Amino acid sequence: PSHAAMPLPLVGALKSRRTFPPSASNLAVCTCGIFSYVTGGKVHIDFKAPTNGTGIAECDRGALSAGQTALTGSGAVCEWTSASRMTVQLEFGATLLPGGTLSVSGGLTAEDGLSDRSVEHSVTVEAPVLVSLPAVTLTGPNQVSLCDTATFTAVGSASRPLTYEWTAEGSASVNVSANLTAQLASESGSSVTFPASLLLGAAVVR
């Protein structure tokens, strides 16, 4: 008698693998970077979906591509605060500003491992939603004699190195001399000194 051939059942199941080209379609690619609104001393880098990134380590030649210490400051640390967010702790001397870019190292995959490894790519860092203003105290004389010099010093605290812009304001009856205006405009440090003879009367230095 003839027998019909019966198909054998498959044992187990094939494990599917998502394949992505090295482009923004990769799950392990950043969607945005933004400065922390608290101090501006951190940058949050968010990814499209959870990745296999974990732990905390120095950024250079790690989570970030080599050669970016001028942007992040020497010794900057990268920490995975979640599977889809990496936080860059900037160090003293960091020069990264809103609109700048960071280069993220490749090698990441989706959290479940079912994707190709990401390639090195850049992310633009945006300004924080809320800007934390530095706290600054200005010290200097209330009065000064014509033959003396006046020194004003600003003491400020912020997560990034500060630069200063100095100005002087007169009143309705007192004009600020052009020489004083020019000297103050050339200063960007935390202290300024000028001869009192440049003051033509009562003026507010700030």
Side-chain angles (χ1 to χ4, degrees):
S2 61
H3 298 281
M6 298 294 292
L8 295 176
L10 290 177
V11 179
L14 294 176
K15 191 175 184 181
S16 64
R17 177 180 178 83
R18 297 192 295 271
T19 301
F20 300 101
S23 69
S25 63
N26 195 313
L27 291 181
V29 169
C30 310
T31 57
C32 72
I34 187 167
F35 277 99
S36 164
Y37 71 89
V38 178
T39 63
K42 295 180 180 180
V43 173
H44 300 307
I45 298 178
D46 292 323
F47 290 75
K48 279 189 172 183
T51 72
N52 66 338
T54 59
I56 180 172
E58 189 168 338
C59 295
D60 192 49
R61 301 179 184 274
L64 299 183
S65 307
Q68 298 181 90
T69 54
L71 292 172
T72 63
S74 180
V77 169
C78 289
E79 178 181 9
W80 287 92
T81 51
S82 73
S84 58
R85 169 170 282 191
M86 179 178 70
T87 297
V88 181
Q89 176 65 61
L90 302 175
E91 287 294 325
F92 181 80
T95 60
L96 182 66
L97 296 174
T101 60
L102 288 174
S103 180
V104 179
S105 298
L108 292 170
T109 67
E111 189 175 30
D112 57 11
L114 302 181
S115 74
D116 289 342
R117 292 184 178 275
S118 65
V119 296
E120 180 180 315
H121 58 285
S122 296
V123 58
T124 300
V125 181
E126 302 171 1
V129 177
L130 298 175
V131 178
S132 177
L133 299 177
V136 178
T137 301
L138 181 64
T139 61
N142 292 324
Q143 295 181 343
V144 63
S145 64
L146 187 63
C147 297
D148 291 336
T149 58
T151 298
F152 292 87
T153 301
V155 179
S157 61
S159 60
R160 303 288 295 275
L162 296 173
T163 57
Y164 299 82
E165 180 178 330
W166 294 91
T167 61
E169 295 181 357
S171 64
S173 58
V174 176
N175 293 322
V176 176
S177 73
N179 289 338
L180 176 58
T181 300
Q183 180 169 341
L184 293 179
S186 67
E187 301 286 347
S188 60
S190 62
S191 181
V192 60
T193 299
F194 55 86
S197 58
L198 293 182
L199 295 170
L200 301 179
V204 178
V205 177
R206 62 181 186 180

